[in-house]
DNA sequence: TCTTAATCGTGAAATTAAGCACGTTAAAAA
DNA sequence: TTTTTAACGTGCTTAATTTCACGATTAAGA
């Protein structure tokens, strides 16, 4: 009934279709956040005009982004808030919880372990690993810290698919190798270093310095401009 | 002698030239990381071929990115490692230390306060702010935690330009407003919410869920593909 | 000195992403 | 019931980004 010759990208759709572009995926959490806010405000339907407006995006962009989802809007009305939330969650795989291992129980690792927001993103950290004997055996936010040597074995036994690296950069490659050996399928790397990983394992680098680079360069550029203009 | 009619983007250059594109800026920290590694390996010169190779990028892209810098390479030899490091740092403003305020001394805030890597990025967190009476007055990694009410005044007095938000999303807008009131020029926002900020203040959102969205959707898509193929 | 080979800088081509415009549709108003 | 209006879906246009290609340059080796 809806979108007849429209190519589906959802898991249900056959033949891989087309990969959803990275920029589209990166906007999805923003939509989700705004939609949840609208929902708490009691809104049941929302237009792309309003949704995109809140996020400072072009309405047409939102509409285009949503063609990657299994949902269509209604003219004059827009999209059902709850339905759109569900569609985005389903697209991202956030409707099912997936277990993850975290390596590096330092200050960043502890923050990640204690972060409750990951539940809403389908991520459940089930164990932490470290090499520091002082940390092994302790429990952080209810999660056990285990010796790194147990990682590969446990990963296979527990069929864990996601690994999070929060060790110093110098240790990251070694940890990544263990993760690959343990059969993990995806690595979320917080260490500021580029990893060598076989192509069958997905890697995403969360490098804070990338954002900082944009911020500080722009700030510096503005300063230079002001100095030039005013004096 | 070098690059005669080449338009400069450095602060020294007149008339604003052209803004360096965001994708270029976001690659800079990666180059920097690889270059530092090369330097510790004793390398004095490096070609774009080798540098980009380590990062999985196209050599031509690196060359083009470096046109934003105040440096030129030599045929057959490449770029001087140290010179290129300095040129990138100067471009990003990482050669000067800038003071910053952090708001929200929770688990993420504490991790950021303790992170020594920011020194290399020209960022020096000089004070933390919170509303929790239990945290105010304490000291984290040598940084005082002050009441939020002091932020605006202190920011003006100390001429701090950068603010970091590490509070819950619900408090982020309020904190951002105080930062604007205090005359901060740039905000680095770790709360997963979009802020309303006047255009003269720069904002960069560090939303971890964006990276996670890419990772988990790709993982899910692979799973679906495998299920289809194998059984 | 002359040749070879690696790399640079850059314009042109290709690819990808974003924005626009318009015909269509459904709700609400006349 | 008819008209008006807001918003959808989508093909087309424009802009941004990346890749390709090649002449120019310089170091090293014959
Ligand atoms: N803390 C931050 O705010 C922050 C910000 C940006 C990036 N990072 C990056 O995140 C990573 C962790 O930072 P951190 O501040 O938590 O550091 P940290 O020193 O507090 O923690 C690192 C942890 O890793 C453990 N470790 C070291 N080698 C290991 C190994 N081979 N296997 C397993 N565990 C090992 C250490 O025992 C320690 O517990 C670093 O790469 C850092 O650059 C941190
Ligand atoms: N912890 C993580 O790993 C993580 C990961 C991703 C995103 N984040 C985001 O970072 C932010 C902080 O996360 P967290 O885990 O540190 O939370 P947290 O609850 O540990 O810390 C929040 C801190 O902010 C303070 N605070 C609350 N309201 C305030 C206000 N109005 N003004 C000043 N301070 C205020 C609290 O007292 C507390 O100290 C959140 O927005 C969270 O969504 C955290």
């Amino acid at each position: 009934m809806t979108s007849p010759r429209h190519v589906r990208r959802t898991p249900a759709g056959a033949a891989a279709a087309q990969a959803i572009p990275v920029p589209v995926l990166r906007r999805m959490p923003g939509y989700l956040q705004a939609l949840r806010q609208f929902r708490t405000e009691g809104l049941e339907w929302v237009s792309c005009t309003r949704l995109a407006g809140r996020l400072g995006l072009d309405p047409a962009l939102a509409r285009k982004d949503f063609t990657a989802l299994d949902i269509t809007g209604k003219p004059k009305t827009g999209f059902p808030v709850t339905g759109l939330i569900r569609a985005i969650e389903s697209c991202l795989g956030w409707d099912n919880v997936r277990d993850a291992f975290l390596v590096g129980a330092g200050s960043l690792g502890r923050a990640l372990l204690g972060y409750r927001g990951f539940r809403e993103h389908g991520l459940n950290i089930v164990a932490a690993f470290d090499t520091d004997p002082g940390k092994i055996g302790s429990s952080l936010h209810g999660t056990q810290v285990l010796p790194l040597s147990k990682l590969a074995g446990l990963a296979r036994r527990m069929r864990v698919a996601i690994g999070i690296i929060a060790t110093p950069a110098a240790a990251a490659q070694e940890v990544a190798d263990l993760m690959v050996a343990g059969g993990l399928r995806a690595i979320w790397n917080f260490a500021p270093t580029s990893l060598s990983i076989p192509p069958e394992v997905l890697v995403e680098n969360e490098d804070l310095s990338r954002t900082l680079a944009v911020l500080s360069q722009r700030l510096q550029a503005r300063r230079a401009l002001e100095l030039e203009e005013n004096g």
Side-chain angles (χ1 to χ4, degrees), chain A:
Chain A
M1 193 232 271
T2 55
S3 62
R5 65 215 122 108
H6 167 225
V7 180
R8 290 278 158 80
R9 275 102 163 211
T10 35
Q18 196 102 43
I20 303 174
V22 170
V24 176
L25 291 176
R26 289 178 59 87
R27 281 190 292 271
M28 290 295 182
Y31 295 130
L32 213 43
Q33 173 263 318
L35 286 165
R36 293 212 175 101
Q37 209 169 315
F38 283 131
R39 185 172 55 181
T40 66
E41 290 167 14
L43 214 64
E44 290 184 16
W45 293 84
V46 69
S47 67
C48 288
T49 313
R50 198 198 291 210
L51 177 57
R54 165 112 24 147
L55 298 168
L57 301 173
D58 189 298
L61 185 59
R63 279 201 288 272
K64 203 154 262 182
D65 287 347
F66 295 161
T67 61
L69 306 174
D70 246 343
I71 194 173
T72 48
K74 279 207 288 191
K76 182 86 180 186
T77 314
F79 291 80
V81 173
T82 314
L84 193 47
I85 289 174
R86 265 205 289 270
I88 294 176
E89 287 177 340
S90 154
C91 162
L92 300 179
W94 289 1
D95 50 352
N96 297 308
V97 174
R98 264 183 296 244
D99 288 345
F101 279 173
L102 182 142
V103 181
S107 48
L108 181 62
R110 279 197 298 271
L112 296 174
L113 278 172
Y115 186 50
R116 317 204 74 242
F118 287 145
R119 294 288 160 93
E120 283 171 19
H121 306 144
L123 196 72
N124 182 35
I125 304 178
V126 293
F129 297 85
D130 209 300
T131 46
D132 182 348
K135 282 170 182 155
I136 294 169
S138 68
S139 181
L140 296 172
H141 299 283
T143 308
Q144 284 271 322
V145 180
L146 306 170
L148 183 62
S149 53
K150 297 239 166 123
L151 187 145
L154 267 179
R156 292 215 169 275
R157 196 148 1 117
M158 297 175 72
R159 300 184 163 284
V160 169
I162 300 179
I164 305 172
I165 299 180
T167 65
Q173 183 63 56
E174 174 203 350
V175 170
D177 292 343
L178 283 172
M179 286 179 170
V180 172
L184 298 211
R185 309 297 312 275
I187 294 176
W188 194 10
N189 175 35
F190 284 80
T193 187
S194 62
L195 303 172
S196 301
I197 297 282
E200 68 268 20
V201 178
L202 296 162
V203 183
E204 283 291 322
N205 297 302
E206 188 75 57
D207 187 349
L208 303 195
S209 61
R210 288 205 293 225
T211 317
L212 185 55
V214 178
L215 197 72
S216 52
Q217 195 278 334
R218 293 280 187 254
L219 182 59
Q220 162 162 291
R222 281 206 179 175
R223 284 257 164 91
L225 202 69
E226 287 169 5
L227 220 66
E228 210 172 278
E229 284 176 351
N230 303 341

